[in-house]
Amino acid sequence: MTDDAVVDLADVAFGYTATPVVEEISLRVESGEYVAIVGPNGSGKSTLMKLMLGLLRPDSGTARLFAEPAHEFDEGSRLGYVAQHASASKEMPITVREVVKMGRFPHVGFGRLSESDWERVDEALDTVGMTAFANRRVTQLSGGQRQRAFIARALASEADLLVLDEPTVGVDAESVDAFYELLNSLNEQGITVLLIEHDLSAVTNHAERVICLNKQIYFDGPTDEFVDSDALARAFGTAAGIVGGGR
Ligand code: ADP
């Protein structure tokens, strides 16, 4: 245990109404980890992510992000968030390079990007394999390419935490594999990866730690232990048959 946990939730409960959606949630994510959050639809995964990011405040318990109260955290550039359905959203008709350039804004304020800022942008495009698409409008990309553009924006901002909410929904199987290879290599470079994923085969193939949620935490530990445990059956109930269903 160190004090440099990226995420630290202690006995968190939250409900949109009087009924809690998540409760008794205690977990820490250390720098450099690759963690997947799984659970059935409506089990509170997105809510948990928002609590971690300080977008929602716990009804009870505490949520800390980079050692600060999560809702007070304001170093946006440390955090890259790839939203659910980003691949399907109607983005503004700007180019991939313009999206990635936004990642530099927290560093330059309202000033102009310097040569080294642009180098960062180009490096980020290269890392995600999108250099050839730099001048293409985001609206003209496939779902997988769009997700890469958003990851490049996070890289350009020098984020050390990547948070992804079902990033590969609607992305074709081949691009999904390439996408996970990209996440793996970013994690190997030291970026903490926090992922909500409904595709359990992707999780078991890639994440090193699984948090299985259904209102409460049913399992939190190494992926191989998760696969051998009955947590999934307990959390998913009769829907456990979807294991390995994936795509
Ligand atoms: P998951 O991401 O696992 O599908 P969510 O965190 O989105 O689960 O939702 C958990 C529960 O909270 C669901 O019952 C959902 O209907 C409810 N919920 C989610 N967002 C809201 C909201 N903004 N207002 C009210 N209820 C919500």
Side-chain angles (χ1 to χ4, degrees), residues 110-173:
F110 292 104
R112 283 164 57 97
L113 268 66
S114 69
E115 206 164 303
S116 71
D117 288 316
W118 282 113
E119 273 168 24
R120 287 263 177 199
V121 169
D122 288 338
E123 255 173 48
L125 283 165
D126 185 47
T127 303
V128 302
M130 286 294 287
T131 304
F133 298 92
N135 296 317
R136 188 166 301 183
R137 288 181 194 280
V138 181
T139 43
Q140 294 166 343
L141 299 175
S142 72
Q145 291 166 340
R146 215 170 288 184
Q147 296 295 55
R148 283 169 179 272
F150 288 111
I151 292 204
R153 180 177 63 182
L155 296 181
S157 82
E158 298 170 63
D160 39 25
L161 169 64
L162 261 187
V163 177
L164 307 110
D165 190 348
E166 300 201 358
T168 59
V169 169
V171 176
D172 65 275

Side-chain angles (χ1 to χ4, degrees), residues 16 21 40-47:
Y16 298 95
V21 166
N41 274 336
S43 60
K45 301 183 295 298
S46 296
T47 302

Side-chain angles (χ1 to χ4, degrees), residues 7 49-50 52-53 65 79-83 154 161-165 167 192-196:
V7 170
M49 197 66 99
K50 287 174 187 156
M52 288 175 170
L53 299 180
L65 182 62
L79 199 156
Y81 180 50
V82 179
L161 169 64
L162 261 187
V163 177
L164 307 110
D165 190 348
T192 309
V193 176
L194 211 64
L195 174 76
I196 289 182

Side-chain angles (χ1 to χ4, degrees), residues 34 87 128 142-148 151 164-186 193 195-207 245-247:
Y34 187 154
S87 60
V128 302
S142 72
Q145 291 166 340
R146 215 170 288 184
Q147 296 295 55
R148 283 169 179 272
I151 292 204
L164 307 110
D165 190 348
E166 300 201 358
T168 59
V169 169
V171 176
D172 65 275
E174 210 172 299
S175 305
V176 168
D177 287 341
F179 183 83
Y180 278 104
E181 277 169 33
L182 171 64
L183 282 190
N184 274 353
S185 79
L186 296 177
V193 176
L195 174 76
I196 289 182
E197 183 54 273
H198 72 289
D199 180 350
L200 290 168
S201 59
V203 167
T204 51
N205 285 337
H206 298 289
R247 282 159 212 274

